[in-house]
Amino acid sequence: TQEEQTRSGLRFPTGFTFGAATSAYQIEGAVAEDGRGTSIWDTFTRTPGKILNGHNADTAIDHYHRFRDDVAIMADLGLTAYRFSVSWPRIQPTGSGKVNQKGLDFYKRLTDELRTHGIDPWLTLYHWDLPQELEDKGGWPNRDIAYCFADYAATVHEAMKDHVHTFSTVNEPWCAAFLGYASGEHAPGRREPENAIRGAHHLNLAHGLAVQAMGARRVGGCVNLYAITPETDSAADLDAARRIDGLQNRFFLDAMLLGRYPEDVLADLPGDADFIQDGDLKIINAPLDVLLVNYYSRFTVSGAPGGRQSAAAAPTDAGSPWVGSEHVSFANGGRPVTAMGWEIDEGGLVEVLTRVARDYPPIPMVVSENGAAFDDVIEDGRVHDGQRQAYVEAHLGACKAAIEAGVPLEGYFAWSLMDNFEWAWGYGKRFGLVHVDFDTQERLMKDSALWYAEIIRQNRTHEPTDS
Ligand code: PNW
C-alpha cells in the first residue's frame, strides 16, 4: 500500500523541514493596492509579445486577499514551513527612501497567520520584482541598485525580525541577470550580454551587502543549480559543459561560498570585468547560515553548433542567456520531460547537493524549490497528477540519498504550493500541488498534494519554530 511504501521509503531525520514555496508577483495580485509601486514585471507584462497570450499578474491568484484561506490549505497539508517573497515595491514604492507601512503590514499579517498554524515562515527578499524606478536608473547593471537593495533588506529585516526566523536574499540571481538582461525572456527584457554580467555581479554584491545589513539573523543565499553532462566526451562537448557549469553554477557558488570568481569563467566573458571592485568579493562571501538550492533538471550540452540555445524553448522571442558561450547547444539527454520541456533527473539533485558538500566549505542546505509543470485536468472533482507525484517522490528520494551520503540537507520546499503566474508562460503552465481555477480562484488539492500531506504526516516530529 501507499502507506507501507512511504513508511519504508521516505523517512527523514527528526526536524526535517517539509515546505512549499511561492513568490510575490506570481501569486499576490492587488498590484495597485495599499500603496504598492510599479515593478519591472508590471511594465513587462504590459509590453506586447513578452508574455504568452498577453497574460499579466494584476490579479494573479489573488493571494493578497485570500492569504488566510491559503494558510489554511498549508495547515491542512501539514507543512512545517512556507517560503514566500516580499514585493519590494510594496515596501518602497519607488525602490528607495520612504517606507510604505501598509506593505510591511501585509507581511506581518501573513506571518502571524502562519505562526498561528505552526508554520515557519521563510522570507525571500527578492524574487525578481524590481521597482520600476530602479530599472529607470539602469536596473541591475547599475551598481547603485545593490546599495538600494541593502537598504531595503535592512528595512524588511528590522520590521520582520520578530516574525521571521530565516531570511534569504536574492532568488536565483542567474535568472534575474541572464533571463532579464541577456536573453530578454524575463523582465526587464533587455538583450545586453555585457550588462547581464554586470547585473549578475551586482546581484551578488546586493546579496552580500544585504547579509551585512541584516546583522545577527539567520540568513541564506539562494542559487538555482543544474546537473550538467557533456553530450559526448569530445573536447568541444567537455568545454561546453565547463562553460555552462561555470555560468550557471560556479559563478554564484564560488563568489558566495569561496569569495572569488572562477578564473575560467572570467576568461570566457566579453569585456574586461572592470566593474568588479576591490573588496566586492569579500562582501559577497559574507558568512551564511544556510544555502537555498533550487533544482529542476539536468542539462546535456554540446559544443557542436546548430542545436537549441537553451535547455527548453522560450514561449516568446528571446536571445541566448549564455553570455560569452552563445555557441553551446543543448541536446536531448533522452529522459522524459515535464510540460516545460525540462528533463526529469532526480539523480542530478543528488549530484548537485553532494557537489556543494564536497567542493565548498561546510554549510547546511535546503532544497528551496523543486517541482514540475504538467498539463493537469480536473476529472470528477480530482486532479490525478500522478506524474507530479512521481516527480516529487523521486526528488524526495534523492534528498534522502544525499542525506545518507552525508550532505547536511535540512529541508525540502516543493515548487509550488499553488498554480500561479509562470512568468513568460503566463497562466499556461501549472506547477502547483494545489490546483487553482484562474477564473473563479477556487483552490483544489491535487493528488500530489494529498500524497505529500501523507508523507509529512508520517514524518511529523518537528516542533513549530518559536523565534
Ligand atoms: C524558477 N530557466 O524559475 C523560479 O524561482 C520560479 O519563480 C519559477 O516559477 C520556477 O522556477 C518554475 O519556472 C526558473 O529558464 C525560470 O532556466 C526559468 C529557468 C529556471 C528557473
Side-chain angles (χ1 to χ4, degrees):
T1 68
Q2 181 174 82
E3 181 152 336
E4 280 159 1
Q5 185 192 339
T6 51
R7 268 188 204 291
S8 57
L10 286 172
R11 268 286 178 195
F12 283 83
T14 303
F16 189 81
T17 293
F18 290 96
T22 63
S23 86
Y25 188 70
Q26 293 179 274
I27 65 169
E28 287 179 358
V31 293
E33 264 172 74
D34 292 339
R36 177 185 179 279
T38 302
S39 84
I40 56 175
W41 275 94
D42 299 301
T43 307
F44 193 64
T45 53
R46 270 167 185 68
T47 310
K50 297 301 183 188
I51 310 295
L52 190 65
N53 300 317
H55 291 158
N56 63 56
D58 288 2
T59 305
I61 57 168
D62 198 32
H63 173 76
Y64 193 77
H65 300 117
R66 295 168 192 262
F67 73 92
R68 289 186 203 283
D69 297 341
D70 292 339
V71 173
I73 292 170
M74 298 178 216
D76 285 346
L77 278 169
L79 298 188
T80 67
Y82 171 57
R83 174 173 177 255
F84 65 98
S85 80
V86 171
S87 161
W88 187 348
R90 283 196 198 283
I91 309 304
Q92 289 176 305
T94 61
S96 56
K98 202 175 161 340
V99 172
N100 175 34
Q101 186 60 40
K102 286 187 173 170
L104 289 169
D105 289 345
F106 170 69
Y107 297 103
K108 289 185 179 173
R109 291 196 297 277
L110 171 65
T111 51
D112 282 343
E113 189 73 8
L114 288 164
R115 288 154 52 98
T116 299
H117 288 82
I119 301 167
D120 187 19
W122 283 51
L123 184 155
T124 297
L125 286 163
Y126 184 72
H127 201 126
W128 310 350
D129 42 359
L130 186 71
Q132 179 62 40
E133 240 161 281
L134 298 184
E135 175 58 27
D136 296 342
K137 292 178 177 154
W140 287 109
N142 176 356
R143 185 178 173 95
D144 295 345
I145 306 308
Y147 292 87
C148 294
F149 181 72
D151 180 58
Y152 159 67
T155 300
V156 173
H157 180 257
E158 186 53 34
M160 300 298 295
K161 64 178 194 273
D162 297 331
H163 290 68
V164 170
H165 183 56
T166 308
F167 292 79
S168 72
T169 56
V170 177
N171 177 71
E172 302 187 349
W174 182 89
C175 289
F178 294 106
L179 300 179
Y181 294 87
S183 80
E185 177 181 344
H186 282 183
R190 287 159 61 181
R191 288 196 206 170
E192 302 164 16
E194 290 193 35
N195 271 330
I197 289 290
R198 262 175 204 276
H201 176 62
H202 295 149
L203 282 151
N204 281 339
L205 183 63
H207 157 79
L209 291 168
V211 173
Q212 275 184 356
M214 288 191 280
R217 67 310 132 215
R218 190 173 129 86
V219 65
C222 174
V223 284
N224 56 318
L225 303 183
Y226 287 82
I228 291 163
T229 320
E231 189 176 20
T232 71
D233 58 11
S234 72
D237 289 1
L238 292 170
D239 183 66
R242 175 190 64 74
R243 284 166 174 268
I244 299 306
D245 176 49
L247 283 167
Q248 177 78 60
N249 300 325
R250 290 182 288 122
F251 186 81
F252 300 96
L253 285 173
D254 288 17
M256 266 187 206
L257 302 180
L258 301 175
R260 60 172 188 248
Y261 282 124
E263 287 298 330
D264 63 307
V265 176
L266 293 182
D268 292 337
L269 291 174
D272 55 11
D274 56 354
F275 48 84
I276 304 172
Q277 297 185 8
D278 284 351
D280 284 359
L281 280 146
K282 190 159 191 316
I283 295 168
I284 297 167
N285 188 211
L288 294 181
D289 301 303
V290 57
L291 183 71
L292 288 80
V293 175
N294 294 358
Y295 175 84
Y296 289 93
S297 188
R298 177 186 296 275
F299 297 156
T300 303
V301 298
S302 153
R308 285 178 281 128
Q309 66 182 12
S310 58
T316 53
D317 182 33
S320 169
W322 304 106
V323 178
S325 296
E326 288 88 351
H327 67 282
V328 171
S329 40
F330 288 73
N332 183 343
R335 298 176 189 82
V337 297
T338 69
M340 298 294 278
W342 298 351
E343 293 194 23
I344 301 171
D345 182 26
E346 64 274 16
L349 177 55
V350 185
E351 192 175 304
V352 303
L353 293 172
T354 51
R355 184 233 193 134
V356 174
R358 182 189 67 225
D359 293 353
Y360 294 90
I363 183 164
M365 287 182 255
V366 296
V367 173
S368 39
E369 286 181 22
N370 173 251
F374 288 108
D375 298 323
D376 300 316
V377 286
I378 300 184
E379 288 171 275
D380 303 327
R382 298 281 296 268
V383 178
H384 300 299
D385 60 337
Q387 289 175 292
R388 183 175 293 101
Q389 177 181 318
Y391 181 101
V392 174
E393 184 166 4
H395 287 78
L396 275 171
C399 289
K400 195 172 151 92
I403 292 168
E404 283 162 2
V407 173
L409 182 71
E410 300 185 345
Y412 174 91
F413 292 80
W415 183 271
S416 177
L417 175 68
M418 301 173 282
D419 294 334
N420 59 46
F421 177 79
E422 178 52 31
W423 308 114
W425 295 89
Y427 300 99
K429 299 290 175 201
R430 295 177 177 275
F431 274 88
L433 297 175
V434 175
H435 183 274
V436 177
D437 181 316
F438 296 125
D439 296 318
T440 64
Q441 299 295 352
E442 205 174 319
R443 274 76 162 142
L444 172 69
M445 284 203 206
K446 302 178 192 178
D447 287 358
S448 58
L450 300 169
W451 171 85
Y452 191 45
E454 178 61 18
I455 295 289
I456 299 170
R457 196 189 63 75
Q458 291 176 18
N459 274 278
R460 190 157 182 130
T461 40
H462 179 91
E463 294 300 316
T465 303
D466 178 25
S467 54

